[in-house]
Amino acid sequence: MKVAFVGLGNMGGPMVRNLLKHAHTVTVFDLNAQAVREAVDAGASPAMSAKVAASGAEFVITMLPAAQHVRAVLGGEDGVLAGIERGVTIVDSSTIDPASARAMAELARSQGNEFVDAPVSGGTGGAAAGTLTFMVGGSTESYEHVKPVLSSMGKNIVHCGDTGTGQVAKLCNNLILGITMAGVAEAMSLGEKLGIDPAVLAGIVNTSAGRCWSSDTYNPYPGLIETAPSSRGYTGGFGTDLMLKDLGLATDAAKLAKQPAFMGALAQQLYQAMSANGDGKLDFSAIIKLYRASEG
Ligand code: NAD
């Protein structure tokens, strides 16, 4: 298919490479010229704007930091909706709040286009390996329509329900992730201070009740998992400021739903402290630095 892709960051870049591997024709746009060059080197065509990228596309995918970027890229003067043909579906894989996703869907529908929210989990490793999970919010018809293209980038393409429910699933998942990462960091650091080899401790945890993705796939202790950001100076993963954004989405949603989010609010403050210390661009697993003096 002819796919327009906007947002070539840590996630979007590798997602585009997988679309190309599956023989889709991909036209890309990003504000970052270096990111565009890398996508072009992999076989994509560059466009001067989101509007130009979307014109003639059979499918549009956006992978942007937050709701304000999605709003600008879709609705702006040089945006997707200014260039797209009627009947083309827009898939937004950014993590944004469910209300903004529903507003984007309304806007797209008002000019004859479908919009589905399809945020992902699986991290940069999953984006590179083409094993992401897509959480799709939209009609059954839209879900069936987007599934084959999303399958080029992911292993699990799950229909969550109507528009916005993909984002609901995502913010609940990241609420857990932000909390478990803080827990694993606290325990790994404590274990080290109490004298156990961190590799032995991680091995025990990963076959015991403490096992979770934050321990067995993305352990924050440096050097234990070769592919994890902790083994490369906490670079190239899921930025702390993005985790902070997601926990903000979760606690805001909890406020709207009139339920407490005790753990989420605490985790949010921990990542806020990291960000205030100047570590907002580091992978969120660098939260272990709050515990380990040797990590700064
Ligand atoms: P990123 O910051 O690495 O990339 C975002 C890209 O969007 C950048 O290249 C930036 O230049 C581009 N951009 C911003 N505004 C733009 C505009 N107006 N026009 C064109 N391009 C624009 O972010 P990321 O890590 O790739 O994450 C993207 C989204 O995916 C976020 O919503 C994030 O929460 C979510 N997410 C990230 C991960 C992860 O592990 N990194 C995992 C799951 C979900």
Side-chain angles (χ1 to χ4, degrees):
M1 293 192 86
K2 284 164 78 176
V3 181
F5 202 110
V6 184
L8 307 168
N10 290 332
M11 296 295 286
M15 288 164 77
V16 163
R17 285 195 280 284
N18 281 319
L19 284 171
L20 291 164
K21 271 187 211 152
H22 284 79
H24 296 290
T25 305
V26 189
T27 304
V28 296
F29 174 67
D30 195 293
L31 298 177
N32 178 342
Q34 176 61 26
V36 173
R37 263 195 300 279
E38 285 171 19
V40 169
D41 287 346
S45 305
M48 293 302 290
S49 65
K51 177 182 171 181
V52 174
S55 65
E58 296 171 279
F59 215 89
V60 177
I61 303 174
T62 51
M63 191 52 168
L64 297 156
Q68 71 264 28
H69 308 96
V70 178
R71 231 172 273 128
V73 164
L74 258 54
E77 207 176 303
D78 275 327
V80 166
L81 288 169
I84 198 171
E85 280 162 31
R86 279 179 80 84
V88 173
T89 300
I90 302 165
V91 176
D92 178 39
S93 285
S94 326
T95 304
I96 65 173
D97 60 291
S100 292
R102 289 177 184 131
M104 290 298 112
E106 280 299 304
L107 184 66
R109 271 174 215 142
S110 71
Q111 67 164 66
N113 296 100
E114 270 308 309
F115 171 100
V116 302
D117 46 305
V120 300
S121 75
T124 47
T131 55
L132 292 170
T133 292
F134 283 86
M135 297 158 245
V136 182
S139 65
T140 305
E141 203 181 25
S142 298
Y143 166 71
E144 293 300 341
H145 180 59
V146 302
K147 199 175 169 188
V149 174
L150 300 188
S151 299
S152 305
M153 302 175 285
K155 208 168 54 175
N156 301 309
I157 321 296
V158 183
H159 189 204
C160 300
D162 287 342
T163 310
T165 55
Q167 297 294 355
V168 171
K170 174 68 187 173
L171 70 83
C172 290
N173 181 71
N174 277 21
L175 175 62
I176 297 171
L177 177 62
I179 295 165
T180 58
M181 183 56 78
V184 172
E186 194 165 295
M188 290 302 302
S189 176
L190 180 63
E192 179 189 34
K193 289 201 177 85
L194 297 179
I196 191 170
D197 178 342
V200 172
L201 176 58
I204 298 290
V205 169
N206 292 339
T207 52
S208 304
R211 182 178 69 83
C212 58
W213 189 86
S214 298
S215 70
D216 71 4
T217 306
Y218 216 81
N219 199 295
Y221 194 94
L224 294 184
I225 296 175
E226 205 185 318
T227 51
S230 52
S231 295
R232 50 173 190 266
Y234 302 98
T235 59
F238 180 42
T240 295
D241 284 340
L242 287 178
M243 173 51 86
L244 198 46
K245 175 199 70 168
D246 290 1
L247 289 171
L249 296 178
T251 52
D252 284 353
K255 210 182 295 169
L256 283 175
K258 298 197 184 344
Q259 84 137 53
F262 305 115
M263 303 300 291
L266 176 56
Q268 190 182 9
Q269 292 307 309
L270 293 172
Y271 294 105
Q272 183 70 67
M274 254 180 94
S275 191
N277 285 345
D279 287 340
K281 296 280 172 272
L282 292 184
D283 181 76
F284 78 114
S285 63
I287 193 165
I288 200 168
K289 288 168 77 167
L290 293 182
Y291 300 95
R292 290 185 77 224
S294 59
E295 285 293 304

